[in-house]
Amino acid sequence: MSETKLAANEYIKIRSNYLRGTLAEELTDVSTGAISEDSQQLIKFHGSYMQDDRDLRADRRKHRLEKAYSFMIRIRVPGGVSTPAQWLATDALCEKYGNHDFKLTTRQAFQLHGVIKSNLKRTIQEINQAAMDTIAACGDVNRNVMCNPNPHLSHIHAAALQAAQAISDHLTPRTGAYHEIWLDGEKVETSEEEVEPIYGKTYLPRKFKITIAIPPSNDVDIYANCLSFIAIAEKDQLVGYNVAVGGGMGMTHGAEETFPRIADVIGFCTPEQVVEVAEMVVKVQRDFGCRTDRKHARLKYTVQDHGPDWFLQKLNEYLGWSLQPVRDFVFENNGDRYGWVTDPLGNSHLTLFIEGGRVIDRPGQPMRTGLKEIAQVHTGDFRLTANQNVIIANVTPAQRPVIEALVEKYGLEDGKKRSALRLNALACVALPTCALSLAEAERYLPVLIDDLEKEIESAGLRHDAITIRMTGCPNGCARPYIAEIGFVGRGPERYNVYLGGGHAGQRLSKLYKADVPQSEIPALLRPVIQRYAKEREDGEKLGDFVIRAGIIAATVQGDDFHKNIVPCP
Ligand code: SRM
Ligand code: SF4
C-alpha cells in the first residue's frame, strides 16, 4: 500500500530537528541577503518572514541585482499589553535596524519591516532584552493570543487577560532551538530526544489562532479565529467562558474548496478549565487536521469536514469531561471606542486612531515621535487593539494633563475629527512588503476613504459606524469577509467588493461585484449608501440593511460562501 504523501512543509518540520534546520549556519552566510527555501519556512516559527521590497523589484531585475531582501519580524504581545519600555524598545529597533516605522497588527502584535539578514540576530536579541519575544508569532503553532484590551472593564478584563497570558505561555513551543539560534543559548548535549509535549515533532498542520472576548464587545473578532473564549459574567462576576471553534478567513480566488468560515460556539467552561480546553482543542487539531493539503489544513476545515457536533464530542473525549451547554451572550460591535474614558478608580485610558496601524512620522504628522514622548513619561501601559489602534492605558489623574499636552502638541488622533467610516476601517500591510499581495491595501484604503467620505457625507452618514476592510489578497489579514463593506485585491488596482457582514463581525459577507477597477468603487457603492440612508430602519446597520433590502444574500456557513450570489444590479 502506498503511503499518503504529506504536504511539503511536513517533511521540512520532520527534517528540522525541532525547528533548527540550517538556520544558524545560513545567518552567517554573507554571500546573499536571502536564506534557503526550507529556512524560509522554518524561520516563521521564530517570528520572521523573508520578504523583498516589491517597489524595487523591476529596477533591481533590470540592473541584474539580487532582490532587495529583508526580514519582517513579528513581536508577540499576548493580550496586546505592552509596557512603555517595550514600546520604546520597539521604536528604537525600527529606527536602528528597520524601516523607521512599525506596525500594530490586526492581532495586537508589533511588526518591524526591512531588517536585513546581517541585523536579524541582534534585532531578535534586543527584542528579548526588552522582555518580549518572537517565538511562535508565526508558523504552524498557536500565535499571539488576543484579548479585549480595555482596562476599564476592571476585574473581568483582568481575569480574561490573565487567561490569555496563561494560554499563551502554555502553548509556547518548548524547543531549545529559539534560544540556541538567536540568544546564543547552550546546546544541551543529551542522548534523549527533545520533547515537544503538546505539539510533537511536526507541530500543527497549519497556523492556529486564539482570542478572548468580553461581550458586548467583539473587538477581537472571535468568529474569525480557530478557538475563542467568550467571557460570561453573572452579577458582575466572571463565571466562565463560552468556547467557539472553527473560524478563519483565508481563501484563494477561484478555488471554491477554500472559504472563510464563521466559528461555531460549542460549549461553556469555567475559568479554571480554560487552559486545559485550549490544549485539548490544539491536540484534536494536531491529530485530525489535514496534513496533506496546506490549503485545507486550518482548524476551520476540520470543523467543517466533521461538523461541530463531532468536534465537541472529540474535544470532550480528549478532556475526559464534557463542556457545559452554551450560555447566552450578545455582541454589539467589533470596533474600538476612541478618546478618553475614566474608570471607577479614577485612572483614564485614551484610545488613539492609528491609520492602518502604521506608527510613523510623516511630514507635518510626527505621530511616532509623539507616541515615543508619551512612552517616555507614561507610567501605565500601552494596549494594542485588534483594530490596529493603541490605548494609552492606566493614566493617573496627575499624569493626564501631561499626556493631553503631548496629544495636542503632536496632533495625535483621538478620533474626534475623523468620520465614523474611517475610524472603523482596517487595511492589511499588502504592498510593498507582503509577498502575497495582488493589490494595495494599507497605502490605498485611506485614499479610497477620502472618496467614500464624500458619498457618506452627502447621504448624511458621517457619524454612522460602518465597518470597512481592505486586503491586498484573499488571505484575509484584515478580516474583510466579516466587514459590512469588504475589498479584496484581485490584481493591480482591482478589487472584489463584498457586502453584508455583521456589524459585530458575527456574519460573513457575500461577493457583490468581482474585479472592480478601483476608480469605479465610489460609483458602485453610491446607490447602496443612498438607499441605506433613505430606507434603513431605526438603528439598522448597513450589513443588515443590504440583506433585508435584497441587495445581497445572507451567507449561512462554510462553503455556502461561494453560492447563492445575488448578482448586483
Ligand atoms: Fe496574515 C500571511 C500579515 C493577520 C490570514 N499575513 C501573511 C503574511 C505573513 C504574508 C506571507 O505569508 O508571506 C503577511 C505579512 C505582510 C507583511 O509585510 O507584514 C501577513 N496578517 C498579517 C498582518 C500583519 C496584517 C496587518 O496588517 O495587521 C496581521 C498579523 C497578525 C499577527 O500579529 O499575528 C495578519 N492574517 C491575519 C489575519 C487576521 C487574524 O488573525 O485575526 C488573518 C485571517 C484569519 C485567519 O487566519 O484565517 C490572516 N495571513 C493570513 C493567511 C491565510 C491563512 C489561511 O488560512 O489561508 C496568510 C497566508 C498563509 O498563511 O499562507 C497570511
Ligand atoms: Fe498580504 Fe494578503 Fe495578508 Fe494582505 S491579506 S497582508 S496582501 S497576505
Side-chain angles (χ1 to χ4, degrees):
M1 203 173 74
S2 69
E3 255 183 46
T4 315
K5 197 164 176 325
L6 300 175
N9 287 50
E10 293 300 312
Y11 298 105
I12 297 176
K13 286 180 268 183
I14 293 168
R15 283 197 297 273
S16 77
N17 182 22
Y18 295 93
L19 311 181
R20 289 173 179 81
T22 53
L23 260 175
E25 294 84 325
E26 289 187 44
L27 288 177
T28 60
D29 175 2
V30 290
S31 67
T32 168
I35 54 175
S36 67
E37 282 185 17
D38 276 17
S39 290
Q40 284 174 43
Q41 296 306 317
L42 285 180
I43 203 168
K44 296 180 187 177
F45 291 81
H46 300 258
S48 181
Y49 280 72
M50 192 179 95
Q51 305 184 315
D52 73 287
D53 187 332
R54 294 181 57 184
D55 286 347
L56 303 180
R57 260 189 204 175
D59 196 53
R60 291 185 71 95
R61 198 180 306 123
K62 200 163 97 200
H63 293 95
R64 294 167 194 260
L65 291 169
E66 184 175 81
K67 285 180 182 165
Y69 291 118
S70 68
F71 291 78
M72 173 270 270
I73 302 178
R74 195 174 284 163
I75 305 173
R76 279 199 312 171
V77 188
V81 182
S82 147
T83 64
Q86 289 168 337
W87 184 278
L88 288 172
T90 309
D91 182 274
L93 286 168
C94 86
E95 186 62 32
K96 208 152 108 184
Y97 303 123
N99 282 350
H100 312 286
D101 59 50
F102 58 100
K103 175 104 179 167
L104 311 183
T105 75
T106 53
R107 293 196 69 77
Q108 300 179 294
F110 291 123
Q111 262 187 206
L112 302 172
H113 288 101
V115 179
I116 55 171
K117 190 169 94 174
S118 55
N119 282 333
L120 197 50
K121 185 162 170 174
R122 58 174 73 92
T123 311
I124 291 183
Q125 285 181 342
E126 290 182 34
I127 288 168
N128 279 267
Q129 282 156 15
M132 298 185 287
D133 66 23
T134 64
I135 186 171
C138 325
D140 297 345
V141 282
N142 174 53
R143 308 281 186 96
N144 198 41
V145 180
M146 295 210 278
C147 184
N148 177 294
N150 285 303
H152 65 277
L153 287 171
S154 70
H155 60 280
I156 295 175
H157 174 269
L161 178 63
Q162 268 179 13
Q165 288 166 338
I167 294 169
S168 173
D169 288 348
H170 191 69
L171 296 180
T172 301
R174 297 284 178 259
T175 171
Y178 186 81
H179 275 76
E180 278 169 38
I181 296 171
W182 307 105
L183 309 178
D184 294 326
E186 295 263 314
K187 269 195 196 133
V188 186
E189 299 295 346
T190 162
S191 54
E192 280 174 33
E193 198 183 348
E194 200 165 355
V195 178
E196 193 67 87
I198 295 175
Y199 296 111
K201 198 171 180 141
T202 48
Y203 295 83
L204 292 179
R206 204 66 164 79
K207 56 175 72 165
F208 193 91
K209 299 185 171 179
I210 303 181
T211 58
I212 303 190
I214 305 173
S217 172
N218 183 26
D219 58 347
V220 290
D221 268 334
I222 67 124
Y223 294 102
N225 278 264
C226 301
L227 166 64
S228 292
F229 295 97
I230 304 160
I232 303 294
E234 285 169 11
K235 298 194 186 116
D236 202 30
Q237 291 304 317
L238 179 73
V239 292
Y241 298 89
N242 279 339
V243 179
V245 294
M249 294 281 101
M251 63 165 214
T252 305
H253 288 313
E256 292 214 348
E257 67 283 10
T258 66
F259 44 83
R261 187 177 191 281
I262 291 289
D264 294 289
V265 186
I266 57 167
F268 172 89
C269 69
T270 65
E272 298 72 35
Q273 293 168 333
V274 161
V275 173
E276 190 185 359
V277 171
E279 176 181 331
M280 294 309 161
V281 172
V282 163
K283 284 181 167 166
V284 173
Q285 169 64 358
R286 177 197 67 189
D287 298 344
F288 293 91
C290 173
R291 289 188 188 260
T292 54
D293 176 3
R294 281 180 75 77
K295 285 200 179 298
H296 195 72
R298 296 293 300 276
L299 179 80
K300 67 179 176 185
Y301 296 116
T302 314
V303 175
Q304 181 72 16
D305 290 348
H306 298 274
D309 292 344
W310 173 91
F311 195 92
L312 174 61
Q313 196 191 338
K314 203 41 85 184
L315 175 60
N316 288 342
E317 235 173 70
Y318 273 55
L319 286 166
W321 48 270
S322 295
L323 292 185
Q324 297 174 40
V326 173
R327 308 261 173 115
D328 290 343
F329 67 99
V330 177
F331 284 131
E332 288 171 3
N333 58 61
N334 61 356
D336 287 343
R337 192 211 41 77
Y338 291 92
W340 286 98
V341 67
T342 302
D343 67 25
L345 298 174
N347 285 328
S348 299
H349 316 279
L350 169 65
T351 306
L352 292 172
F353 172 56
I354 311 289
E355 193 152 46
R358 188 66 64 177
V359 180
I360 186 169
D361 281 347
R362 292 201 166 94
Q365 293 174 301
M367 178 231 281
R368 201 189 114 204
T369 305
L371 287 164
K372 181 174 154 188
E373 289 206 12
I374 289 180
Q376 282 161 345
V377 298
H378 183 37
T379 52
D381 41 44
F382 283 75
R383 308 242 169 162
L384 317 190
T385 80
N387 288 302
Q388 301 172 319
N389 295 310
V390 67
I391 305 175
I392 315 295
N394 293 309
V395 178
T396 60
Q399 269 211 320
R400 182 163 164 169
V402 181
I403 308 263
E404 276 172 337
L406 288 169
V407 168
E408 179 70 25
K409 178 175 171 191
Y410 288 98
L412 302 178
E413 306 244 18
D414 58 6
K416 284 198 197 98
K417 294 189 189 133
R418 300 297 199 157
S419 69
L421 185 71
R422 197 178 295 269
L423 294 173
N424 284 280
L426 279 186
C428 73
V429 181
L431 292 164
T433 52
C434 179
L436 307 176
S437 58
L438 306 169
E440 297 279 355
E442 185 189 322
R443 295 194 294 197
Y444 173 57
L445 186 61
V447 181
L448 176 62
I449 290 182
D450 286 345
D451 289 338
L452 291 179
E453 274 172 344
K454 292 177 197 135
E455 309 298 335
I456 291 283
E457 278 172 25
S458 75
L461 300 175
R462 183 177 168 81
H463 302 294
D464 287 78
I466 296 170
T467 54
I468 177 165
R469 295 174 173 186
M470 174 177 278
T471 56
C473 85
N475 283 317
C477 298
R479 302 183 287 268
Y481 311 110
I482 45 178
E484 294 176 288
I485 305 176
F487 303 102
V488 174
R490 276 297 310 204
E493 301 191 3
R494 304 184 83 85
Y495 296 86
N496 280 0
V497 179
Y498 293 83
L499 291 178
H503 186 71
Q506 78 283 18
R507 183 182 59 235
L508 286 173
S509 55
K510 273 276 189 203
L511 183 61
Y512 181 57
K513 191 164 185 193
D515 211 14
V516 183
Q518 65 186 37
S519 57
E520 293 175 15
I521 292 173
L524 176 75
L525 292 182
R526 188 174 304 136
V528 177
I529 290 167
Q530 286 175 353
R531 273 191 72 184
Y532 174 55
K534 283 196 199 106
E535 297 173 29
R536 66 180 165 166
E537 288 172 354
D538 221 21
E540 191 174 28
K541 297 294 180 189
L542 178 75
D544 299 332
F545 169 77
V546 291
I547 293 169
R548 184 177 62 80
I551 295 171
I552 203 91
T555 303
V556 186
Q557 184 59 288
D559 57 0
D560 165 67
F561 187 71
H562 298 285
K563 295 181 191 139
N564 306 325
I565 294 171
V566 176
C568 66

